[in-house]
Coordinates of all heavy atoms in Angstrom, one line a residue:
M29 N 108.2 40.0 77.4 CA 108.7 38.7 76.9 C 108.3 37.5 77.8 O 108.1 36.4 77.4 CB 110.2 38.7 76.7 CG 110.8 39.0 75.3 SD 109.7 38.3 74.0 CE 111.0 37.9 72.9
A30 N 108.4 37.8 79.2 CA 108.1 36.8 80.1 C 106.6 36.2 79.9 O 106.4 35.1 80.1 CB 108.3 37.3 81.5
D31 N 105.7 37.1 79.6 CA 104.3 36.7 79.3 C 104.3 35.9 78.1 O 103.6 34.8 78.1 CB 103.4 38.0 79.1 CG 102.0 37.6 79.0 OD1 101.5 36.8 79.8 OD2 101.3 38.1 78.2
A32 N 105.0 36.1 77.0 CA 105.0 35.3 75.8 C 105.6 34.0 76.2 O 105.1 32.9 75.7 CB 105.8 36.0 74.7
A33 N 106.7 34.0 77.0 CA 107.3 32.7 77.3 C 106.3 31.8 78.1 O 106.2 30.6 77.9 CB 108.5 32.9 78.1
Q34 N 105.6 32.4 79.0 CA 104.6 31.7 79.9 C 103.4 31.2 79.0 O 103.0 30.1 79.1 CB 104.0 32.6 81.0 CG 103.1 31.9 81.9 CD 103.7 30.7 82.7 OE1 104.9 30.8 83.0 NE2 103.0 29.7 82.9
Q35 N 103.0 32.0 78.0 CA 102.0 31.6 77.1 C 102.4 30.3 76.3 O 101.7 29.4 76.1 CB 101.6 32.7 76.2 CG 100.8 33.8 76.8 CD 100.5 34.9 75.9 OE1 101.2 35.2 74.9 NE2 99.4 35.7 76.2
L36 N 103.6 30.4 75.8 CA 104.2 29.3 75.0 C 104.2 28.0 75.9 O 103.8 26.9 75.4 CB 105.6 29.6 74.5 CG 106.3 28.5 73.7 CD1 105.5 28.1 72.5 CD2 107.7 28.8 73.4
L37 N 104.7 28.1 77.1 CA 104.8 26.9 78.0 C 103.4 26.3 78.3 O 103.2 25.1 78.2 CB 105.4 27.2 79.3 CG 107.0 27.6 79.1 CD1 107.5 28.0 80.5 CD2 107.7 26.4 78.6
E38 N 102.4 27.2 78.5 CA 101.0 26.8 78.7 C 100.4 26.1 77.5 O 99.7 25.1 77.6 CB 100.2 28.0 79.2 CG 100.5 28.4 80.6 CD 99.9 29.8 80.9 OE1 99.1 30.3 80.2 OE2 100.1 30.2 82.1
A39 N 100.7 26.7 76.3 CA 100.2 26.2 75.0 C 100.8 24.8 74.8 O 100.1 23.8 74.4 CB 100.5 27.1 73.9
M40 N 102.0 24.6 75.1 CA 102.7 23.3 74.9 C 102.1 22.3 75.8 O 101.9 21.1 75.4 CB 104.2 23.4 75.1 CG 105.0 24.2 74.0 SD 106.7 24.5 74.3 CE 107.3 22.9 75.0
E41 N 101.9 22.7 77.1 CA 101.3 21.8 78.1 C 99.9 21.4 77.6 O 99.6 20.2 77.7 CB 101.3 22.4 79.4 CG 100.7 21.5 80.5 CD 100.7 22.2 81.9 OE1 101.5 23.1 82.1 OE2 99.9 21.7 82.7
A42 N 99.1 22.3 77.2 CA 97.7 22.0 76.7 C 97.8 21.1 75.5 O 97.0 20.1 75.4 CB 97.0 23.3 76.4
F43 N 98.6 21.4 74.6 CA 98.7 20.6 73.3 C 99.2 19.2 73.7 O 98.6 18.2 73.1 CB 99.7 21.3 72.4 CG 99.6 20.6 71.0 CD1 98.6 20.9 70.1 CD2 100.6 19.8 70.6 CE1 98.5 20.3 68.8 CE2 100.6 19.2 69.4 CZ 99.5 19.5 68.4
D44 N 100.1 19.0 74.6 CA 100.6 17.7 75.0 C 99.5 16.9 75.7 O 99.3 15.7 75.5 CB 101.8 17.9 75.9 CG 102.5 16.6 76.2 OD1 102.7 15.8 75.3 OD2 102.8 16.3 77.4
E45 N 98.6 17.6 76.4 CA 97.5 16.9 77.1 C 96.5 16.4 76.0 O 96.0 15.3 76.1 CB 96.8 17.9 78.1 CG 97.6 18.1 79.3 CD 96.9 19.1 80.2 OE1 95.7 19.4 80.1 OE2 97.5 19.7 81.1
V46 N 96.3 17.2 75.0 CA 95.3 16.8 73.9 C 96.0 15.6 73.2 O 95.3 14.6 72.9 CB 95.0 17.9 72.9 CG1 94.3 17.5 71.7 CG2 94.2 19.0 73.6
A47 N 97.3 15.7 72.9 CA 97.9 14.7 72.1 C 98.0 13.4 72.9 O 98.0 12.3 72.3 CB 99.4 15.1 71.7
G48 N 98.0 13.5 74.2 CA 98.1 12.3 75.1 C 96.7 11.6 75.3 O 96.6 10.5 75.7
S49 N 95.6 12.4 75.1 CA 94.3 11.9 75.3 C 93.6 11.4 74.1 O 92.6 10.7 74.2 CB 93.5 13.0 76.0 OG 93.2 14.0 75.1
V50 N 94.0 11.8 72.9 CA 93.3 11.4 71.7 C 94.4 11.2 70.6 O 95.3 12.0 70.5 CB 92.2 12.4 71.3 CG1 92.8 13.7 70.9 CG2 91.4 11.9 70.1
T51 N 94.2 10.1 69.8 CA 95.2 10.0 68.7 C 94.8 10.8 67.6 O 93.7 11.3 67.5 CB 95.2 8.4 68.2 OG1 93.9 8.2 67.7 CG2 95.4 7.5 69.3
A52 N 95.7 11.0 66.6 CA 95.4 11.8 65.5 C 94.2 11.2 64.7 O 93.3 11.9 64.2 CB 96.6 11.9 64.5
H53 N 94.1 9.9 64.6 CA 93.0 9.2 63.9 C 91.7 9.5 64.6 O 90.7 9.8 63.9 CB 93.3 7.7 63.8 CG 92.2 6.9 63.2 ND1 92.1 6.9 61.8 CD2 91.2 6.2 63.6 CE1 91.0 6.2 61.5 NE2 90.5 5.7 62.6
E54 N 91.7 9.4 65.9 CA 90.5 9.6 66.8 C 90.1 11.1 66.6 O 88.9 11.5 66.5 CB 90.8 9.3 68.2 CG 90.9 7.9 68.5 CD 91.4 7.6 69.9 OE1 92.0 8.5 70.5 OE2 91.2 6.5 70.4
A55 N 91.1 12.1 66.5 CA 90.7 13.5 66.4 C 90.0 13.7 65.1 O 89.1 14.4 65.0 CB 92.0 14.3 66.5
M56 N 90.5 13.1 64.0 CA 89.9 13.3 62.7 C 88.4 12.8 62.7 O 87.5 13.4 62.2 CB 90.6 12.5 61.6 CG 91.8 13.1 61.1 SD 91.4 14.6 60.1 CE 90.5 13.9 58.8
E57 N 88.1 11.7 63.5 CA 86.8 11.2 63.6 C 85.9 12.0 64.6 O 84.7 12.0 64.4 CB 86.8 9.7 64.0 CG 87.4 8.9 62.9 CD 87.5 7.4 63.3 OE1 87.2 7.0 64.5 OE2 87.9 6.6 62.5
E58 N 86.5 12.5 65.7 CA 85.7 13.0 66.8 C 85.6 14.5 66.9 O 84.6 15.0 67.3 CB 86.3 12.5 68.1 CG 86.2 11.0 68.2 CD 86.8 10.4 69.5 OE1 87.0 11.2 70.5 OE2 87.0 9.2 69.6
F59 N 86.7 15.3 66.4 CA 86.6 16.7 66.5 C 85.6 17.3 65.5 O 85.5 16.7 64.3 CB 88.0 17.3 66.2 CG 89.0 17.1 67.3 CD1 88.7 16.4 68.5 CD2 90.3 17.6 67.2 CE1 89.6 16.2 69.5 CE2 91.2 17.4 68.2 CZ 90.9 16.7 69.3
D60 N 84.9 18.4 65.9 CA 84.0 19.0 64.9 C 84.7 19.6 63.8 O 85.9 19.9 63.8 CB 83.1 20.0 65.7 CG 83.9 21.1 66.3 OD1 84.1 22.0 65.5 OD2 84.3 21.1 67.5
E61 N 83.9 19.8 62.7 CA 84.5 20.3 61.4 C 85.1 21.7 61.7 O 86.2 21.9 61.1 CB 83.3 20.5 60.4 CG 83.8 20.8 59.1 CD 84.7 19.7 58.4 OE1 84.5 18.6 58.8 OE2 85.5 20.1 57.6
T62 N 84.6 22.6 62.5 CA 85.2 23.9 62.7 C 86.6 23.8 63.3 O 87.6 24.5 62.8 CB 84.3 24.8 63.6 OG1 83.0 24.9 62.9 CG2 84.9 26.1 63.8
T63 N 86.7 22.9 64.3 CA 88.0 22.7 65.0 C 89.0 22.2 64.0 O 90.1 22.7 63.9 CB 87.8 21.7 66.1 OG1 86.9 22.3 67.1 CG2 89.2 21.5 66.8
L64 N 88.6 21.2 63.2 CA 89.6 20.6 62.2 C 89.9 21.7 61.1 O 91.1 21.8 60.7 CB 88.9 19.4 61.5 CG 88.7 18.3 62.5 CD1 88.0 17.1 61.8 CD2 90.1 17.8 63.0
Q65 N 89.0 22.5 60.7 CA 89.3 23.5 59.7 C 90.3 24.6 60.2 O 91.1 25.1 59.6 CB 88.0 24.2 59.1 CG 87.2 23.3 58.3 CD 87.9 23.0 57.0 OE1 88.6 23.8 56.4 NE2 87.8 21.7 56.5
L66 N 90.0 25.0 61.5 CA 90.9 26.0 62.1 C 92.3 25.4 62.2 O 93.3 26.1 62.0 CB 90.4 26.4 63.5 CG 89.2 27.4 63.3 CD1 88.6 27.6 64.7 CD2 89.6 28.7 62.7
F67 N 92.4 24.2 62.7 CA 93.7 23.5 62.8 C 94.4 23.5 61.4 O 95.6 23.8 61.3 CB 93.5 22.1 63.4 CG 94.8 21.3 63.4 CD1 95.7 21.5 64.4 CD2 95.2 20.4 62.4 CE1 96.9 20.8 64.5 CE2 96.3 19.8 62.4 CZ 97.3 19.9 63.5
W68 N 93.7 23.0 60.4 CA 94.2 22.9 59.0 C 94.7 24.3 58.5 O 95.7 24.4 57.9 CB 93.1 22.4 58.1 CG 93.6 22.2 56.7 CD1 94.4 21.1 56.2 CD2 93.2 23.0 55.6 NE1 94.5 21.3 54.9 CE2 93.9 22.4 54.5 CE3 92.5 24.1 55.5 CZ2 93.7 23.0 53.3 CZ3 92.4 24.7 54.2 CH2 93.0 24.1 53.2
R69 N 93.9 25.4 58.8 CA 94.3 26.7 58.4 C 95.5 27.3 59.1 O 96.3 27.9 58.5 CB 93.0 27.6 58.6 CG 93.3 29.0 58.1 CD 92.3 30.0 58.5 NE 92.5 30.2 60.0 CZ 91.6 31.0 60.7 NH1 90.5 31.4 60.3 NH2 91.9 31.1 62.0
D70 N 95.5 27.1 60.5 CA 96.5 27.8 61.2 C 97.8 27.0 61.4 O 98.9 27.6 61.7 CB 95.9 28.2 62.6 CG 94.8 29.2 62.5 OD1 94.8 29.9 61.4 OD2 94.0 29.3 63.4
W71 N 97.8 25.7 61.4 CA 98.9 24.9 61.8 C 100.2 25.2 60.9 O 101.3 25.2 61.5 CB 98.6 23.3 61.7 CG 99.7 22.6 62.2 CD1 100.5 21.8 61.4 CD2 100.2 22.4 63.5 NE1 101.6 21.2 62.1 CE2 101.4 21.6 63.4 CE3 99.8 23.0 64.7 CZ2 102.1 21.3 64.5 CZ3 100.6 22.7 65.8 CH2 101.7 21.8 65.7
P72 N 100.0 25.4 59.6 CA 101.3 25.6 58.8 C 102.0 26.8 59.3 O 103.3 26.7 59.4 CB 100.8 25.9 57.4 CG 99.5 25.1 57.3 CD 98.9 25.2 58.7
R73 N 101.4 27.9 59.7 CA 102.1 29.1 60.3 C 102.8 28.7 61.6 O 103.9 29.1 61.9 CB 101.1 30.2 60.4 CG 101.7 31.5 60.9 CD 100.7 32.6 61.0 NE 99.5 32.2 61.7 CZ 99.4 32.2 63.1 NH1 100.4 32.4 63.8 NH2 98.2 31.8 63.6
I74 N 102.0 28.1 62.5 CA 102.5 27.7 63.8 C 103.7 26.7 63.6 O 104.7 26.9 64.3 CB 101.4 27.1 64.6 CG1 100.3 28.2 64.9 CG2 101.9 26.5 65.9 CD1 99.0 27.6 65.4
Q75 N 103.5 25.8 62.7 CA 104.6 24.8 62.5 C 105.9 25.4 62.0 O 106.9 25.1 62.4 CB 104.1 23.7 61.6 CG 105.1 22.6 61.3 CD 104.6 21.6 60.3 OE1 103.7 21.8 59.6 NE2 105.2 20.4 60.4
S76 N 105.7 26.4 61.1 CA 106.8 27.1 60.5 C 107.6 27.9 61.6 O 108.8 27.8 61.7 CB 106.4 28.0 59.4 OG 107.4 28.7 58.9
W77 N 106.8 28.6 62.4 CA 107.4 29.4 63.6 C 108.2 28.4 64.5 O 109.3 28.7 64.9 CB 106.4 30.2 64.3 CG 106.9 30.9 65.4 CD1 107.4 32.2 65.4 CD2 107.0 30.6 66.8 NE1 107.9 32.6 66.6 CE2 107.6 31.6 67.5 CE3 106.7 29.4 67.5 CZ2 107.9 31.4 68.9 CZ3 106.9 29.3 68.8 CH2 107.6 30.4 69.5
A78 N 107.5 27.3 64.9 CA 108.1 26.4 65.9 C 109.3 25.7 65.3 O 110.3 25.5 65.9 CB 107.1 25.3 66.3
G79 N 109.3 25.4 64.0 CA 110.4 24.8 63.3 C 111.6 25.7 63.3 O 112.7 25.3 63.5
S80 N 111.3 27.0 63.0 CA 112.4 28.0 63.0 C 113.0 28.1 64.4 O 114.3 28.1 64.5 CB 111.9 29.3 62.6 OG 112.8 30.3 62.5
L81 N 112.2 28.2 65.4 CA 112.7 28.2 66.8 C 113.6 26.9 67.1 O 114.6 27.0 67.7 CB 111.6 28.4 67.8 CG 112.0 28.4 69.3 CD1 113.0 29.5 69.6 CD2 110.7 28.5 70.1
W82 N 113.0 25.7 66.7 CA 113.7 24.5 67.0 C 115.1 24.5 66.3 O 116.1 24.1 66.9 CB 112.8 23.4 66.4 CG 113.5 22.1 66.6 CD1 114.3 21.4 65.7 CD2 113.5 21.2 67.8 NE1 114.7 20.2 66.2 CE2 114.2 20.1 67.5 CE3 112.8 21.3 69.0 CZ2 114.3 19.0 68.5 CZ3 112.9 20.3 69.9 CH2 113.7 19.2 69.6
R83 N 115.1 24.9 65.0 CA 116.4 24.9 64.3 C 117.5 25.8 65.0 O 118.6 25.4 65.1 CB 116.2 25.3 62.9 CG 115.6 24.2 62.0 CD 115.5 24.6 60.5 NE 114.7 25.7 60.3 CZ 113.4 25.6 60.2 NH1 112.7 24.4 60.3 NH2 112.6 26.7 59.9
R84 N 117.0 27.1 65.4 CA 117.9 28.0 66.1 C 118.4 27.4 67.4 O 119.6 27.5 67.7 CB 117.2 29.3 66.3 CG 116.9 30.0 64.9 CD 116.6 31.4 65.1 NE 117.8 32.1 65.7 CZ 117.9 33.4 65.9 NH1 116.9 34.2 65.6 NH2 119.0 33.9 66.4
L85 N 117.5 26.8 68.2 CA 118.0 26.2 69.4 C 118.9 25.0 69.2 O 119.8 24.8 69.9 CB 116.7 25.7 70.2 CG 115.9 26.7 70.9 CD1 114.6 26.2 71.4 CD2 116.7 27.4 72.0
N86 N 118.6 24.2 68.1 CA 119.4 23.1 67.8 C 120.8 23.5 67.4 O 121.9 22.9 67.9 CB 118.8 22.3 66.7 CG 119.5 20.9 66.5 OD1 119.7 20.2 67.5 ND2 119.7 20.6 65.3
E87 N 120.9 24.6 66.7 CA 122.2 25.1 66.3 C 123.0 25.7 67.5 O 124.2 25.4 67.7 CB 122.1 26.3 65.3 CG 121.6 25.8 63.9 CD 121.2 27.0 63.0 OE1 121.3 28.2 63.5 OE2 120.7 26.8 61.9
E88 N 122.3 26.3 68.4 CA 122.9 26.8 69.6 C 123.5 25.7 70.5 O 124.5 25.8 71.1 CB 121.9 27.7 70.4 CG 122.6 28.4 71.6 CD 121.6 29.4 72.2 OE1 121.1 30.2 71.5 OE2 121.5 29.3 73.5
M89 N 122.6 24.7 70.7 CA 123.0 23.5 71.5 C 124.1 22.8 70.9 O 124.9 22.3 71.7 CB 121.8 22.7 71.7 CG 120.6 23.3 72.5 SD 121.1 23.9 74.1 CE 121.3 22.3 75.0
A90 N 124.2 22.7 69.6 CA 125.3 22.0 68.9 C 126.6 22.8 69.2 O 127.7 22.2 69.4 CB 125.0 22.0 67.4
E91 N 126.6 24.1 69.2 CA 127.8 24.9 69.6 C 128.2 24.7 71.0 O 129.3 24.5 71.3 CB 127.5 26.4 69.3 CG 127.4 26.8 67.9 CD 127.1 28.2 67.7 OE1 127.2 29.0 68.6 OE2 126.7 28.6 66.5
M92 N 127.2 24.6 71.9 CA 127.5 24.4 73.3 C 128.1 23.0 73.5 O 128.9 22.8 74.4 CB 126.3 24.6 74.1 CG 125.7 26.0 74.1 SD 124.2 26.2 74.9 CE 124.7 26.4 76.6
A93 N 127.8 22.0 72.7 CA 128.2 20.6 72.9 C 129.6 20.4 72.2 O 130.1 19.3 72.2 CB 127.2 19.7 72.3
S94 N 130.1 21.3 71.5 CA 131.4 21.2 70.8 C 132.5 20.9 71.8 O 132.5 21.4 72.9 CB 131.7 22.4 70.0 OG 130.8 22.7 69.1
P95 N 133.5 20.1 71.4 CA 134.6 19.8 72.3 C 135.3 21.1 72.7 O 135.5 22.0 71.9 CB 135.5 18.9 71.5 CG 134.7 18.4 70.3 CD 133.6 19.5 70.1
A96 N 135.7 21.2 74.0 CA 136.5 22.3 74.5 C 138.0 22.1 74.0 O 138.5 21.1 73.7 CB 136.4 22.3 76.0
G97 N 138.7 23.2 74.2 CA 140.1 23.3 73.8 C 141.0 22.6 74.9 O 140.4 21.9 75.8
D98 N 142.2 22.8 74.8 CA 143.2 22.2 75.7 C 143.2 22.8 77.1 O 143.9 22.4 78.0 CB 144.7 22.1 75.2 CG 144.7 21.2 73.9 OD1 143.9 20.2 73.9 OD2 145.6 21.5 73.1
D99 N 142.5 24.0 77.3 CA 142.6 24.8 78.5 C 141.5 24.4 79.5 O 140.9 25.2 80.2 CB 142.6 26.3 78.2 CG 141.3 26.7 77.3 OD1 140.7 25.7 76.9 OD2 141.1 27.9 77.3
I100 N 141.1 23.1 79.5 CA 140.1 22.6 80.4 C 140.7 22.5 81.9 O 141.7 21.9 82.1 CB 139.6 21.3 80.0 CG1 139.0 21.4 78.6 CG2 138.6 20.7 81.0 CD1 138.6 19.9 78.1
D101 N 139.9 23.1 82.8 CA 140.3 23.0 84.2 C 139.5 21.8 84.8 O 138.2 21.9 85.0 CB 139.9 24.3 85.0 CG 140.3 24.3 86.5 OD1 140.9 23.2 86.8 OD2 140.0 25.2 87.2
T102 N 140.1 20.8 85.1 CA 139.4 19.5 85.5 C 139.2 19.6 87.1 O 138.6 18.7 87.7 CB 140.2 18.3 85.2 OG1 141.5 18.3 85.7 CG2 140.2 18.1 83.6
G103 N 139.8 20.6 87.7 CA 139.7 20.7 89.2 C 140.5 19.8 90.0 O 140.4 19.8 91.2
G104 N 141.5 19.2 89.3 CA 142.4 18.2 90.1 C 143.7 18.8 90.6 O 144.5 18.2 91.2
G105 N 143.9 20.1 90.3 CA 145.1 20.8 90.8 C 146.2 20.5 89.8 O 146.1 20.0 88.8
D106 N 147.4 20.9 90.3 CA 148.6 20.7 89.4 C 149.2 19.3 89.5 O 149.5 18.7 90.2 CB 149.7 21.7 89.8 CG 149.3 23.1 89.4 OD1 148.5 23.3 88.5 OD2 149.7 24.1 90.1

């Protein structure tokens, strides 16, 4: 799992670098046909997986951000 996590982080970093160096409009004009066809073919599956992960994380984070009960220890003593 650690290898998959590292691969994901590296892929995100690489994708962010591409997105920061060329606009989507420029990519359509400048990327070769094979690159664009592979993106068009593979992106829906990747986007679906990433969206599913995003939703699960969002749900988990929402639970963590829920207000706590009355038993909060504020550290102020009695």
